[in-house]
Amino acid sequence: MAEFAGFPRQTLDYLDELAVNNDRDWFQANRHRYEALVREPALDFIAAMGPRLARISEHFEALPKKVGGSLMRVHRDTRFGRDKTPYKTNIGIQFRHELGRDVHAPGFYVHIANDGCFFGAGMWRPDPAALTAIRDRIAFRPQEWQRVREDRALRRLYRLDGEALKRPPRGYPPDHRHLEDLKRKDFIAIAEFSAGAISERRFLDLAARTFRSAAPLMQFLCNAIEVAY
């Protein structure tokens, strides 16, 4: 692994070109550019984030592996969606909890794309048991959840995002003070950043600072599903 010095300035240009030429022949002909502009710097970033992430929590992993690590695969799953283009046109990096098996586990996330760049923290589409545990903790410990929502560092950088039910979930009071949060299907927080930031070495520090500010939310979610934070 090389020392991370920022993503090349041509990285976003490459993603733009991939969006226009999203087919196997073009990708294979330009695979050397994918390696140099996306995969190699992403793996360097992940490796360099390891010590910084450990200072936030020892239970989230930075795995600089080409396959099966923190870098999400470039190939899209086209089985269920209408969009049948074979390649993702963003860079996705997830630092997942050590006990997590997939993208639904608690994690920190980096999203790099021409239509928006952001850091994420939380749980995307938790499985039914985890979702119930999170909703129960909100329902029965409303003050604890209120402290998460009111945390200054979290609110300064992040906004809660994701999909939600239109109607209250069964088994919860329809007049609960946090009813809108009980409706959530995702418990994720998003912090946007400028695309130009990825080309600087200090992008590492920006990511670490932003992830650290999500500690109240991550602690709450980990407590809810009974894993260490």
Side-chain angles (χ1 to χ4, degrees):
M1 296 288 172
E3 182 178 352
F4 179 75
F7 283 86
R9 297 192 180 278
Q10 300 90 342
T11 295
L12 291 174
D13 292 336
Y14 169 81
L15 294 178
D16 261 345
E17 291 181 49
L18 177 58
V20 174
N21 304 280
N22 201 325
D23 63 71
R24 188 178 185 279
D25 288 344
W26 188 91
F27 185 81
Q28 292 300 328
N30 289 272
R31 191 175 186 94
H32 64 289
R33 296 176 65 206
Y34 168 75
E35 295 290 341
L37 300 176
V38 176
R39 182 142 72 178
E40 291 176 5
L43 294 178
D44 292 341
F45 170 77
I46 292 165
M49 276 297 296
R52 291 168 170 82
L53 196 64
R55 290 194 288 270
I56 299 171
S57 169
E58 297 178 353
H59 302 288
F60 291 82
E61 298 181 318
L63 303 175
K65 297 163 57 178
K66 289 186 176 182
V67 179
S70 298
L71 178 63
M72 302 180 79
R73 63 199 303 265
V74 67
H75 298 87
R76 294 181 60 253
D77 186 342
T78 60
R79 293 173 297 171
F80 307 111
R82 292 182 180 180
D83 185 353
K84 300 301 182 182
T85 52
Y87 302 106
K88 298 174 185 175
T89 56
N90 69 277
I91 302 171
I93 297 169
Q94 187 189 33
F95 301 109
R96 193 179 303 163
H97 194 279
E98 61 189 358
L99 299 181
R101 292 175 295 177
D102 53 32
V103 295
H104 308 289
F108 298 99
Y109 177 68
V110 182
H111 184 92
I112 299 170
N114 277 295
D115 59 355
C117 298
F118 61 86
F119 298 116
M123 294 180 69
W124 178 76
R125 297 294 158 80
D127 64 44
L131 182 58
T132 296
I134 296 166
R135 286 174 172 164
D136 283 352
R137 196 170 185 94
I138 293 173
F140 300 121
R141 300 192 183 194
Q143 289 296 112
E144 183 180 342
W145 178 245
Q146 187 67 25
R147 286 194 293 273
V148 173
R149 292 206 55 117
E150 292 179 350
D151 184 85
R152 289 184 180 181
L154 183 69
R155 292 179 61 183
R156 181 170 56 86
L157 295 177
Y158 288 94
R159 57 179 169 81
L160 292 176
D161 205 346
E163 293 192 15
L165 300 171
K166 293 182 179 180
R167 301 177 63 84
R170 292 181 181 179
Y172 299 94
D175 59 348
H176 194 282
R177 63 187 291 192
H178 296 305
L179 181 61
E180 294 307 309
D181 291 319
L182 291 173
K183 291 180 182 179
R184 293 184 183 277
K185 295 191 286 185
D186 303 314
F187 286 87
I188 54 176
I190 299 298
E192 297 174 352
F193 61 87
S194 66
I198 71 171
S199 297
E200 302 177 2
R201 188 185 186 284
R202 60 184 177 178
F203 183 57
L204 289 164
D205 298 322
L206 176 64
R209 287 197 309 271
T210 307
F211 290 157
R212 189 176 295 109
S213 295
L217 174 64
M218 298 300 286
Q219 180 77 68
F220 183 93
L221 296 176
C222 288
N223 287 346
I225 63 171
E226 299 183 336
V227 298
Y229 175 69

